[in-house]
Amino acid sequence: MYGRYTQDLGTFAKDEAARLRLQEGDTARPRHPSELLEYTQGRCGPCRVCALQCQRFLISKVGEDWVFLILLGLVMALVSWAMDFAIATCLQAQKWMYGGLDTNVLLQYMAWVTYPTVLITFSAGFTQILAPQAVGSGIPEMKTILRGVVLKEYLTLKTFVAKVIGLTCALGSGMPLGKEGPFVHIASMCAALLSRFLSLFGGFYENEARNIEMLAAACAVGVGCCFAAPIGGVLFSIEVTSTFFAVRNYWRGFFAATFSAFIFRVLAVWNKDEETITALFKTRFRLDFPFDLQELPAFAVIGIASGFGGALFVYLNRKIVQFMRRQKTINRFLMKKRLLFPALVTLIISTLTFPPGFGQFMAGQLTQKDTLVTLFDNQTWAKQGISDEFEYLGILEAWLHPRSNVFVTLVVFILMKFWMSALATTIPVPCGAFMPVFVIGAAFGRLVGESMAAWFPDGIHTDSNIYRIVPGGYAVVGAAALSGAVTHTVSTAVIVFELTGQISHILPVMIAVILANAVAQSLQPSLYDSIIRIKKLPYLPELGWGHQEKYNVRVEDIMVRDIRYVTLNCKYRDLQQVLHSTKMKNLPLVESAESMILLGSIERTQVGALLSNQLSPHRRLLTLRQKALSEDGHRLSDPSIRFQISTETSSGTPARPALRKPLKPALKRVSSSPADSPPAGSTDHTGIALKSLFCANATTEPTEEEMILGDKMTPTEILEWEEQQLDQLVDFSSAKIDPAPFQLVEHTSLHKTHTIFSLLGLDHAFVTSIGRLVGMVSLKELRKAIEGSLTGKGVKVRPPLASFRDSTASTTEADTTALHQLWDRHQHHHMPREAGPGGDDDDDTTKGQ
Amino acid sequence: MYGRYTQDLGTFAKDEAARLRLQEGDTARPRHPSELLEYTQGRCGPCRVCALQCQRFLISKVGEDWVFLILLGLVMALVSWAMDFAIATCLQAQKWMYGGLDTNVLLQYMAWVTYPTVLITFSAGFTQILAPQAVGSGIPEMKTILRGVVLKEYLTLKTFVAKVIGLTCALGSGMPLGKEGPFVHIASMCAALLSRFLSLFGGFYENEARNIEMLAAACAVGVGCCFAAPIGGVLFSIEVTSTFFAVRNYWRGFFAATFSAFIFRVLAVWNKDEETITALFKTRFRLDFPFDLQELPAFAVIGIASGFGGALFVYLNRKIVQFMRRQKTINRFLMKKRLLFPALVTLIISTLTFPPGFGQFMAGQLTQKDTLVTLFDNQTWAKQGISDEFEYLGILEAWLHPRSNVFVTLVVFILMKFWMSALATTIPVPCGAFMPVFVIGAAFGRLVGESMAAWFPDGIHTDSNIYRIVPGGYAVVGAAALSGAVTHTVSTAVIVFELTGQISHILPVMIAVILANAVAQSLQPSLYDSIIRIKKLPYLPELGWGHQEKYNVRVEDIMVRDIRYVTLNCKYRDLQQVLHSTKMKNLPLVESAESMILLGSIERTQVGALLSNQLSPHRRLLTLRQKALSEDGHRLSDPSIRFQISTETSSGTPARPALRKPLKPALKRVSSSPADSPPAGSTDHTGIALKSLFCANATTEPTEEEMILGDKMTPTEILEWEEQQLDQLVDFSSAKIDPAPFQLVEHTSLHKTHTIFSLLGLDHAFVTSIGRLVGMVSLKELRKAIEGSLTGKGVKVRPPLASFRDSTASTTEADTTALHQLWDRHQHHHMPREAGPGGDDDDDTTKGQ
């Protein structure tokens, strides 16, 4: 959320300053009355002035948060409603086709199977072609984006279109897929697009921190308008996407999600689907005695079983993905025919659910929505002894099979849907897993509830009143528990209350959800974290519940001690060596190799730019020209002095504009060995790099003379010249330096480090000890430390009795030594060798240890 | 939440290391079988071993979070239930007394008035004597404590007892007071006490970060077990106490609050109050058609009106407190007779609610609970035309008055209760304002609902079905809206769902709560923030909704540039000067006055300790003895060289143990002027400081000879010696230095600074530019900047066109200059004057600008 704290703060500040100046220029003007004069000159002057002021007023309003949130809520409600409508039409069409062909079972089967296969294949193909980023849930990606990582192409219009159309087709096929995860993604894309659109009216939407706040609100809108559950939506999106949540952004989510849910339900009323605004899956359980105290153990059992089930689901899902990736022959074949896998999976699943076939044992003809409605039903399906008398009304009939009973149907349904859902969610179409899991959980709860009802036909309560057991309540509990276990969230409890419109089962639901979470979290990561790991997204894992031992690991145990650095008094040759020897994106800038005082950090690209500028053909040509001039005219002393002077002057007036863009050829030279530089140098001088440099400078044009002068230099001369250049001291004045990189101390615990990294969205931090750089910790080390594999490269394993080491005496001794070094240095002033080569890759970093 | 990041990180790390060592020592032992041998030697050896292992297993379990949370939930549920029982008994007693005396109105009045007055006076007196910290809500204090500020005596057993007993008496009096705020405080105290108790079994509870996490969970438990609302409790406590919330702590709150609410309601079932677990204020609104779409404007009106009402309540409450404080004559009188004010207020309020008197027009005889039950009632009180036929059943009768109608009663009730509640919550007893406000909101909602019902007797719906308007639903909406407006929270919506057990009105409630929040937040701070301001607690205000302009203010506009610092090569005299000239608690340690490179920060007390150690009588005596020895024996060269040597040796083996405790007399010397030092010095040398130093050293005992030697020095000699001492260079090796204080850059926006301060719980940060210290920002500056009073001392007002200033050119120029300084310094090495006096209070800080 607060990403990019250190990385490009300076850049950001400067950009913002520039932006503000522009903005100030825009908004400062209207205050000046003379500017309006030109309009008043015309015939309809007053009108124009009025219109102008209105326009400005409107534009200023556009910048306010609530306008944005209302627009977002409105758009998302419309999208959600339109999609639901389209999906319902698709499902209706399938039903109609299936119903119309009831004369021939084979035709019926063909229709039942072909329809979803075509839809899924189209969805997969369409998404693949338009935007492959639209595949899958989107919540893992949003979690990563909200942490401050920029994922390319994830919030574009193309992805939006691909996701909306792909999702509609995928859900219209009747496969066990959900719309909730993708909706989080769709809402985020909608927010990103909306803010880009609104920024046409003013610069309000260019602030990145604000955009990320809006993205967080958009996630809430996504869940909120999908389930018409504003509160649950906000909480679910917080739990699923955030690590730290700013309470001041709370209202944004509530505001937008409530508005969106409101519009979403109002559309249903206007469309005459509903009489008034009610819950999506309204239940009618009795209010006066929702459940007996003695039923609570059964609810607890549902919770614990759901915990195991949820963990199993995540495990199964991951194994399927890994299996598909590992089998190289299958993989290679599927890579060629990308659409074969979705088609195959759909074929299998739809064959198994074919109602006259195996589907009759698992209520195959019901859509996901109908299934939920029947599962949450108020009645008891299986009454001991009187099962035959009981009338299965309407769609409830699907659960009844003449040759089996409800329990068998439920068990088959749960088992089949379990692997089907785990398999279906691996299809490369936009789809979520929340709703399928929710349905399975409801079926499991119903199974337990029906069993309880069969066991205690007149309820457990022994008083005068007979309160029968309500299996529908168990279904609600099961749904919340299993979906909570899979997603590792507690807010599914709130979602079920909002979905069913009843809160009377609050305690059973809460108990089951918490137990399910406890079990699932100790066994497996959440589904979204599992996907993050599979996709290798840059995200920091959570510390987990029992992080007691994490307090004992310190930064000094996991940090990389052997880091490359840039000193203030280094030479260009040293820069080259540093670039060769490390791949770090941010290099620490220290005062000198002796003091190791951290001054700031400099980006790798900046170092490359410095180096390429120093070795640029342009500078070489300039040198040549000056040489030629001096040879022709005054015949000055040797060129090395001239170089010195030119460096001094250039540091006073740095040629900044050209520096932002790293120059390709020069950079290539750096990465190649010095031996093959002459040919590279000789081909460079008329290349694009040269031209771009001149164009950027824009004051001096590339004259023929310069070109000729450049050509005059032989490769050997160029090599010589470059070697000379590399021996000069680096002039940092033109480089962008982050003046306050984030610093930790060696004793910071892993727990605290994790907190700080999550809070500020860091991806690296330098470890300092009284100003001296001693190491560095990046996300990689932290992730390794948390995942327990401390044996990686450059990472020290903490000895078993490490905590003994950190006694007060030894700790302070290290501190003292470090301080003494500094102090002694001051006492005796600097040694002459300070001017010597710095930045060579020695192990100075660990000298003070 | 993440307080004390920089302040005492070093200390914390060391303490923790020591703790871990001890702990490791404890837990490492059992692994060693030889240790168990001594037990097996005895007769019942195996039994003992087994018992020992069991004990150890239990102790290890005690350290787990869930055990703690279950214990906390259990204790709080018991406390809540017992208190409710006691309060109900108190109220019953009043009713009984009032009912029994119905023969004489005067006696009845006396009983009605005396009873609450006695209870409130007792409560006020008891709290005053035992623990004045128990007064009031406690939420503002918890908010401050959770931010990392340590408030003394707020989490002790004494305060716990005072709060529980005081609150029971206060609520038992029947005054319009609430139990929710105090319950947050009580739960927190309970958690603090529990963790202290459990730490007897192991060292798990000494980790401060963990304790703060537990406090956050305790706040949720407090609300949860007060209303039997686990979800609402967690959300409310987050909204009210946190600025940033760690999602990983989410489950703790849910777990503990659910368990607590469960036990709380189970107790009611076991006590035969209820048949099964249901909501506290169960409603029975119809489910199929909860409200009409066209009723929504009425709900919106409730929301907006509640927003204004909430703001007015906060304003009124603050004005009453300020009035009482400002009126000096009243104040002086009340200060003498502290119990008079509570008694007086109670007298007025109870007189007005006396049922046979004015109370008959405002349902005065109903307790708070009964009022709520009647307001949430399912029936419509005023049916147009048929008002007389309508039967007021049971307690509903209170709202009916023969000579007036329901509307008048409701209006009078709302108006009277409004000021009564605002007044009553200023009484110095433990009390909250949530419940009174909730009741007023419910009454207001009921009023609107009854009006709507009178306006549309057959409902608005024009279809075949007649759905009458449910005024009870309006009451629910009003209650949520007004309490949300006063506390600035959205989660009151969830609380009402859990309190009433129905969620059918979710959209109206959400709309009203959001509108109420929008209005109230733009007018007044929340009640808790208002109390924080009145009590001047150290807390950072929020940025508020429309913080657009806050992006334009930078750290450089608000930072203090003229700060005192300590240089690495300074003399003790400089330390003395710095201590004289500033009151900062943390002093920056820079490399030298020229470079200004920030190395770390050092606490003021540490500087004082350094100074007092240097000037300690002990050292003086040592010097004297050495002098005497050398004079007697070898007759070495002049003492200044000896000093040098002694400094060097002491830096090698620092005498640490004595340094932690700042020595009072020596510190006093520092703060007094040098002129009157001789007498101070002459009285010092046999004082406590001297003795404690010797005891701490423990190797050398204070011999008679030393005492005599000390006495030998004359005041003038001492002064001379001290002047000599002050001219020595400071040896920092024994001081505790925070090696990585938090740093910002000048361009950081106020918005970001606020975020970082809130996130990390900082109270100051140094502003650096490429390693150089340029300023400092503390909470004070930040608070001023946010509150808009930028004209304070040491704070620069940003010029109107400040954003023009920050153009790219000027920004980089400053950076360049700073870098050049550093670079030039390196080119020419250090000047000889570096060894000169550093740390004098010049304006070097702004040199680079």
Side-chain angles (χ1 to χ4, degrees), chain B residues 31-43:
Chain B
R31 285 172 211 148
H32 209 278
S34 68
E35 201 245 343
L36 293 173
L37 276 177
E38 53 176 301
Y39 289 98
T40 49
Q41 302 300 324
R43 260 172 293 176

Side-chain angles (χ1 to χ4, degrees), chain A residues 280-341:
Chain A
L280 266 187
F281 297 100
K282 203 164 56 181
T283 55
R284 290 155 197 277
F285 307 141
R286 61 165 183 265
L287 288 176
D288 45 350
F289 194 91
F291 60 93
D292 195 277
L293 214 56
Q294 295 166 70
E295 290 177 57
L296 283 177
F299 292 119
V301 166
I302 293 182
I304 292 167
S306 295
F308 284 107
L312 185 64
F313 185 87
V314 175
Y315 178 78
L316 198 62
N317 185 281
R318 192 170 61 238
K319 282 293 151 195
I320 292 171
V321 174
Q322 284 173 349
F323 176 80
M324 296 308 297
R325 289 195 178 183
R326 215 173 292 142
Q327 295 292 319
K328 278 185 186 162
T329 44
I330 301 178
N331 209 0
R332 220 175 301 135
F333 181 69
L334 287 178
M335 283 302 274
K336 272 185 222 157
K337 324 236 170 212
R338 278 165 189 279
L339 303 181
L340 200 71
F341 176 63

Side-chain angles (χ1 to χ4, degrees), chain A residues 2 5 9 13-14 17 20-21 24 207 210 213 231 235 239 242-248 250-252 254-255 258 262 275-277 282 284 287-289 291 293 296 461 465 467 490 494 497-498 501-503 506-507 510 514 542 545 547-548 551-552 554 568 591 597 599 651 729-730 732-733 737 739-740 742-743 745 747 751 754-756 759-760 770-771 803-804 806-807 812 816 819-820 822-823 825-827 830 834, chain B residues 2 5 9 13-14 17 20-21 24 207 210 231 235 239 242-248 250-252 254-255 258 262 275-277 282 284 287-289 291 293 296 461 465 467 490 494 497-498 501-503 506-507 510 514 542 545 547-548 551-552 568 591 597 599 651 656 729-730 732-733 737 739-740 742-743 745 747 751 754-756 759-760 770-771 803-804 806-807 811-812 816 819-820 822-823 825-827 830 834:
Chain A
Y2 298 91
Y5 167 60
L9 198 119
K14 277 165 199 167
L20 280 172
R21 196 177 39 165
E24 194 85 9
N207 187 302
R210 188 181 153 155
E213 284 176 4
I231 301 170
L235 300 184
E239 280 195 272
S242 309
T243 317
F244 280 88
F245 189 72
V247 176
R248 67 160 181 259
Y250 207 49
W251 72 268
R252 280 178 235 275
F254 272 110
F255 182 77
T258 304
F262 170 63
E275 217 171 359
T276 186
I277 293 178
K282 203 164 56 181
R284 290 155 197 277
L287 288 176
D288 45 350
F289 194 91
F291 60 93
L293 214 56
L296 283 177
H461 204 65
N465 303 327
Y467 293 114
V490 189
V494 184
F497 301 142
E498 292 182 280
Q502 283 203 303
I503 203 170
I506 178 161
L507 268 178
M510 288 303 295
I514 287 171
E542 277 304 301
W545 282 35
H547 52 70
Q548 193 64 38
Y551 290 109
N552 302 0
R554 304 267 171 84
L568 204 57
E591 199 198 27
I597 289 177
L599 297 176
S651 68
L729 283 173
V730 180
F732 282 106
S733 57
I737 292 170
F742 200 84
Q743 297 173 27
V745 285
H747 308 304
H751 184 253
H754 182 269
T755 308
I756 292 170
L759 273 172
L760 300 177
I770 319 180
S803 26
F804 274 113
D806 307 316
S807 62
T812 44
T816 313
L819 241 173
H820 264 219
L822 267 175
W823 200 55
R825 202 164 64 90
H826 264 273
Q827 296 277 316
H830 288 262
E834 176 155 333
Chain B
Y2 299 90
Y5 166 60
L9 198 117
K14 278 165 199 165
L20 280 172
R21 196 177 39 163
E24 194 84 10
N207 187 304
R210 187 180 153 155
I231 301 171
L235 300 184
E239 281 195 274
S242 309
T243 317
F244 280 88
F245 189 72
V247 176
R248 67 160 180 259
Y250 207 49
W251 73 269
R252 279 177 236 275
F254 272 110
F255 181 77
T258 305
F262 169 63
E275 215 171 359
T276 186
I277 293 177
K282 204 163 56 182
R284 289 155 198 275
L287 288 177
D288 45 351
F289 195 91
F291 60 92
L293 215 54
L296 282 177
H461 205 65
N465 303 328
Y467 293 114
V490 189
V494 184
F497 300 141
E498 292 181 282
Q502 282 203 303
I503 203 171
I506 177 162
L507 268 178
M510 288 303 295
I514 287 172
E542 277 303 302
W545 284 34
H547 51 72
Q548 192 65 38
Y551 290 108
N552 303 0
L568 203 59
E591 198 199 26
I597 290 177
L599 298 177
S651 67
R656 195 165 297 100
L729 285 173
V730 180
F732 283 106
S733 57
I737 292 170
F742 201 84
Q743 298 174 26
V745 285
H747 308 304
H751 184 252
H754 182 269
T755 307
I756 291 169
L759 272 173
L760 300 177
I770 319 181
S803 25
F804 275 112
D806 307 315
S807 61
T811 304
T812 44
T816 313
L819 242 172
H820 265 218
L822 267 177
W823 200 56
R825 202 164 63 92
H826 265 273
Q827 297 276 315
H830 287 260
E834 177 156 332

Side-chain angles (χ1 to χ4, degrees), chain B residues 349-370:
Chain B
I349 293 177
S350 56
T351 303
L352 282 172
T353 55
F354 183 52
F358 189 73
Q360 60 186 301
F361 299 104
M362 52 175 288
Q365 71 196 68
L366 292 182
T367 62
Q368 215 168 39
K369 202 176 170 181
D370 288 339

Side-chain angles (χ1 to χ4, degrees), chain A residues 507, chain B residues 73-74 77-78 81 258-268 270:
Chain A
L507 268 178
Chain B
L74 191 69
L78 286 170
W81 184 79
T258 305
F259 188 79
S260 183
F262 169 63
I263 297 290
F264 178 59
R265 295 308 287 160
V266 163
L267 285 171
W270 282 344

Side-chain angles (χ1 to χ4, degrees), chain B residues 622-632 639 642 713:
Chain B
L622 268 179
T623 319
L624 268 182
R625 194 167 52 163
Q626 278 168 346
K627 213 176 181 178
L629 276 173
S630 63
E631 272 169 4
D632 291 354
R642 281 199 60 80
M713 250 186 168

